[in-house]
Amino acid sequence: MRYKANKNVQVGGNNSKGEVVGPISFKTGSYTTTDDDEIALLDACATDPDNPIGFDPKEA
Amino acid sequence: MGFTTPSNQFIWGLAKQTNESTVATTEQYGLPVYSGRSMPVQTTNRVEVTDSTSLAADPYKQGDEHWEADVVVPAFGAPLPKILVGLWPVDTVTGAGPFTHTFSTMGASPPWFTTYNTDLLAGAVEETFEAGILSGFSLSADGTGGPVKVGAKYVGKRPTIATYTNATPQVVATDGYFTMSGAVLQYEVDSGTPVTETNIQSITLNVDRPVTPVATADSVSVGFLALGKVEPTVSMTLLMDDHEAYRATFYGAVAGSTPSATLVKGSVKINLVHSITGGHSASFTMDSVILMAEPPQPDPGASPLTVTINGVITKPASGDHVKPVVINAIAAVS
């Protein structure tokens, strides 16, 4: 999955076991991952209208 | 003549673990407390059997030893995100300094924490409390000013006597703290857009998630924690200035006049300013809150007339029930 951010963003969280996920940095504006934990974290961000991270329509 | 051991020499420590089994051996933050500490908890019972001489049988320990913490600390700027991430696990950081921490996914699977009791008994016993979950967060302040008081409750799996590396403790005078004095407090009884009000005498935000330690037949200390549902509430004591909340509560609208089944939804936003650093702040936005007013109490003592509001925070159109944002000097995600 490919995600984008319109500014310098880093995000961190954890997976369903409480294991740390990230931090993920968007210094280049976009981020591509196939890691399930990162996808879950970034999906939660991308579906939150208050979060600067979104889905990148230029899917890799 | 010797000195007694003072009870005030105490710093409570906190660290976020990378996973359940990796106990943190270095404090990430050391915090002076208003009250509370981490403590082992266990249950003992007498064996409930009959006895020919009518004597109670000897006790035994249940297999439920675990630890709990219920601390109240000043709202220091740097450690606050480390507490918040226990109930809002995603920390999105923007900015190049100061850094804006936006917390989200309230109630999602939480991270694990280690806590520490430092300095009591002059360092003779270093206790590490491992694999804990944040079971409650509170934020409160009133007209007495000073630091906002942050309550943090943890329930964890196992206490141990184990050495660890201390963090430099937070200091009120030099690190500063978040306060409501000089900040903007906002609420609106019947709208999702809160407006600035100046009649809030005291306010408390609570976000609770019951955590139950679960013993098994072979356990000595618990290996499992059961997570309950997250419930956010806010309560306020208002200096009485109008009957809007009262009428909305009992009559279905701020101008209502007959009993109504309607639950009127309003909003609350708590803004905090920093005592030292002007660019640092914190806010807690609640876009949808049912503000239930109690009838004001008459008082022969002629005290100021107040109204107590108990707010049930409900799901907003988007995002979390409570949306915390902290602006501080910490670049890293919590």
Side-chain angles (χ1 to χ4, degrees):
Chain A
M1 291 289 288
R2 185 177 170 93
Y3 304 86
K4 65 177 182 179
N6 57 7
K7 50 185 167 181
N8 192 352
V9 176
Q10 62 172 338
V11 62
N14 51 261
N15 64 15
S16 60
K17 297 178 181 178
E19 297 167 338
V20 167
V21 178
I24 297 166
S25 176
F26 280 78
K27 284 178 180 172
T28 59
S30 66
Y31 184 82
T32 302
T33 181
T34 56
D35 182 276
D36 288 342
D37 289 338
E38 290 190 349
I39 289 172
L41 170 65
L42 294 170
D43 278 357
C45 295
T47 54
D48 180 353
D50 297 325
N51 195 295
I53 296 169
F55 295 107
D56 191 341
K58 292 182 291 184
E59 176 66 40
Chain B
M1 186 180 298
F3 295 116
T4 59
T5 302
S7 58
N8 70 295
Q9 290 183 351
F10 177 70
I11 294 293
W12 182 76
L14 176 67
K16 192 176 102 170
Q17 299 182 189
T18 55
N19 55 44
E20 178 183 357
S21 60
T22 307
V23 180
T25 56
T26 300
E27 286 182 349
Q28 291 166 351
Y29 290 103
L31 298 156
V33 302
Y34 284 107
S35 63
R37 78 286 198 210
S38 299
M39 54 180 278
V41 177
Q42 66 181 18
T43 307
T44 59
N45 284 313
R46 290 186 181 275
V47 180
E48 287 294 335
V49 291
T50 58
D51 183 79
S52 60
T53 56
S54 294
L55 295 175
D58 286 350
Y60 65 97
K61 276 190 182 183
Q62 288 187 11
D64 69 342
E65 185 163 343
H66 62 283
W67 65 269
E68 296 180 9
D70 185 356
V71 298
V72 180
V73 299
F76 290 110
L80 182 58
K82 193 69 72 177
I83 297 172
L84 292 171
V85 79
L87 274 164
W88 292 267
V90 175
D91 178 10
T92 303
V93 183
T94 57
F99 302 92
T100 300
H101 297 254
T102 302
F103 295 90
S104 59
T105 68
M106 185 180 85
S109 297
W112 299 91
F113 293 92
T114 304
T115 69
Y116 315 83
N117 287 340
T118 299
D119 283 350
L120 274 184
L121 301 175
V125 172
E126 290 196 350
E127 263 179 309
T128 296
F129 299 87
E130 60 188 57
I133 298 296
L134 183 64
S135 67
F137 168 81
S138 69
L139 189 81
S140 63
D142 58 27
T144 59
V148 166
K149 293 181 178 177
V150 171
K153 298 178 183 178
Y154 293 82
V155 175
K157 288 169 56 176
R158 196 172 73 133
T160 59
I161 302 295
T163 58
Y164 54 87
T165 304
N166 292 336
T168 302
Q170 296 287 301
V171 178
V172 168
T174 53
D175 290 305
Y177 48 81
F178 289 125
T179 178
M180 289 188 195
S181 181
V184 173
L185 299 177
Q186 298 171 302
Y187 69 87
E188 183 59 272
V189 172
D190 62 347
S191 164
T193 304
V195 298
T196 301
E197 302 281 2
T198 57
N199 66 330
I200 299 175
Q201 202 173 36
S202 65
I203 185 167
T204 299
L205 167 66
N206 280 297
V207 182
D208 293 315
R209 168 175 24 213
V211 176
T212 306
V214 180
T216 54
D218 60 343
S219 63
V220 175
S221 58
V222 301
F224 298 91
L225 301 175
L227 304 183
K229 289 187 288 190
V230 177
E231 181 176 8
T233 57
V234 62
S235 61
M236 300 185 285
T237 299
L238 308 179
L239 294 171
M240 189 73 175
D241 67 347
D242 61 44
H243 286 83
E244 287 192 351
Y246 179 70
R247 293 177 76 164
T249 300
F250 294 100
Y251 301 106
V254 295
S257 56
T258 58
S260 169
T262 300
L263 283 171
V264 179
K265 291 185 177 178
S267 53
V268 178
K269 185 174 184 183
I270 300 171
N271 295 289
L272 310 178
V273 295
H274 197 266
S275 63
I276 292 178
T277 310
H280 293 182
S281 65
S283 65
F284 295 81
T285 302
M286 293 146 267
D287 291 327
S288 180
V289 188
I290 301 168
L291 295 168
M292 310 284 278
E294 294 179 1
Q297 288 273 13
D299 177 10
S303 60
L305 187 62
T306 60
V307 58
T308 300
I309 304 281
N310 292 302
V312 178
I313 303 171
T314 59
K315 186 167 181 57
S318 66
D320 291 332
H321 291 54
V322 182
K323 299 171 180 173
V325 175
V326 177
I327 300 175
N328 64 12
I330 306 298
V333 296
S334 295

